[in-house]
Amino acid sequence: MMIIFEQMMRFQDIDTSVEKAVNRVVEVVGQFNGRNITEFLDVYKEEMNQRDVSEGHQTLSFKRAITNNLQR
């Protein structure tokens, strides 16, 4: 039971880190709209790396940082 609780807390920490990173990216460069991909990814990767978010979670959470018209 304790292991499950620890895993849930770890996932919650990861989600919090991802949310903070995405919010910071949007604050700095805005949501990704299909333009300036290099600048956007530089900021995105830097913010994720500062919060020790794994590459897998970075990839899975990318959709949080793009505009609605690109999410189709």
Side-chain angles (χ1 to χ4, degrees):
M1 187 71 132
M2 190 62 165
I3 293 172
I4 293 171
F5 178 74
E6 288 173 358
Q7 286 179 337
M8 287 173 50
M9 293 304 294
R10 211 169 324 141
F11 286 131
Q12 185 176 4
D13 289 344
I14 291 168
D15 197 46
T16 299
S17 295
V18 166
E19 192 66 30
K20 286 179 180 179
V22 169
N23 288 342
R24 180 69 180 139
V25 169
V26 171
E27 181 181 310
V28 172
V29 292
Q31 287 185 296
F32 180 63
N33 60 6
R35 298 188 177 129
N36 302 322
I37 184 78
T38 303
E39 177 187 7
F40 183 85
L41 287 178
D42 286 345
V43 173
Y44 186 84
K45 293 285 284 180
E46 180 64 26
E47 292 298 328
M48 291 292 182
N49 289 335
Q50 284 181 3
R51 290 166 178 81
D52 295 322
V53 176
S54 71
E55 285 190 25
H57 283 102
Q58 289 179 31
T59 302
L60 292 172
S61 62
F62 185 75
K63 66 183 176 185
R64 296 181 183 188
I66 62 175
T67 60
N68 288 338
N69 61 346
L70 291 178
Q71 291 185 16
R72 294 180 202 165

